[in-house]
Amino acid sequence: MSRFAPDADWLAFDPAPSVPTYSPPRGAVDAHCHVFGPGERFPYAAERKYTPCDAPKERLWALRDHLGFSRNVIVQGTCHGADNSALIDALLDAGDRARGVATVRADVTDEELARLHTVGVRAIRFNFVRRLVDNLPLDSLAAIAKRVKALGWHVVIYFEAQDLPQFYDFFAGLPTTVVVDHMGRPDVSKPADGPEFELFLRLLREHPNIWSKVSCPERLSLTGPPHYRDVVPFARRIVERFPDRVLWGTDWPHPNMKTHMPDDGKLVDVIPHIAPTAELRHKLLVDNPVALYWGEQGDN
Ligand code: 0GY
């Protein structure tokens, strides 16, 4: 067991990812990644559904530089529940080079939200993946969304494709910009032009406030690394149709991956396949995440 994974019940991240062949443009943002622990300093939540390997901020900064990225958007993982301490610690350390997506409960105070804003949080995450969280009451989520809208934040949602019909109206009614994690986790054994994925495309088509991360081929693929070929048509469809509403991220340190641990360099090499022109790649990696998370300071 590595020193980063004393109690982990899933694989530790690849300690030495390859240098990608594809070089991201200057200012590129890894818009979906996590920091976990270290557990001794930032204990994992009692209600967690998995125990991660420690994924400390210093390792994330090293990965950012190794892959040729400039900034990170750090997403609160369910293993830390609504205790955003490790996220806050990382954001304070990163200064302007990172922004955060927090998890809050309905009883969060205005002062806590203001503090999160000051350290760089710009969104909250609602997780609907049943293996990761207990049931969430939709009316309390709607109330939280209304409060964070007043701060200019957005809402990140994580769900699996088979659950989209159940939550479609709730998602469509959210009052903020909404970012969907990992393309709504399509079942890639089904066709990219079939009815299940079409429902997700319809959500994006009919609701211009809804964005998608075209991330996580390693979680979705049945054909596997290094090319994750079966995921590419899904991601590419979204990038080509909604080029101004897409984000990309590594998902480092890849929580809950039980079958293989991706080489992050190879994940970066998938980008030119899902965003086939330099213009699309610049939107995906720079313009879109900078507009959403850094606002008018985007040219910093
Ligand atoms: C991801 C995916 C997963 C886990 C979490 O917050 C989390 O624990 O998001 C997953 O297991 O699919 O986006 O990191």
Side-chain angles (χ1 to χ4, degrees), residues 32 34 36 50 75-79 125 127 129 131-132 158 160 181-182 185 216 219 251-252 254-257:
H32 187 101
H34 306 281
F36 295 147
Y50 63 86
V75 177
Q76 173 79 351
T78 56
C79 57
R125 189 182 197 208
N127 201 319
V129 177
R131 68 188 158 75
L132 290 173
Y158 188 29
E160 298 183 311
D181 280 343
H182 318 330
R185 289 194 68 117
C216 269
R219 283 185 198 287
D251 195 31
W252 185 89
H254 314 287
N256 270 323
M257 288 295 291

Side-chain angles (χ1 to χ4, degrees), residues 47 81-84 103-114 116 124 126 136-137 139-145 147-148:
E47 74 274 19
D83 177 354
N84 296 290
T103 297
V104 298
R105 303 266 181 259
D107 60 359
V108 65
T109 63
D110 289 343
E111 290 70 29
E112 283 171 293
L113 290 176
L116 289 169
I124 45 160
F126 295 159
L136 299 159
D139 48 354
S140 86
L141 297 183
I144 297 171
R147 286 176 68 198
V148 304

Side-chain angles (χ1 to χ4, degrees), residues 155-166:
V155 173
V156 173
I157 54 177
Y158 188 29
F159 61 89
E160 298 183 311
Q162 76 268 14
D163 296 323
L164 180 55
Q166 180 190 346

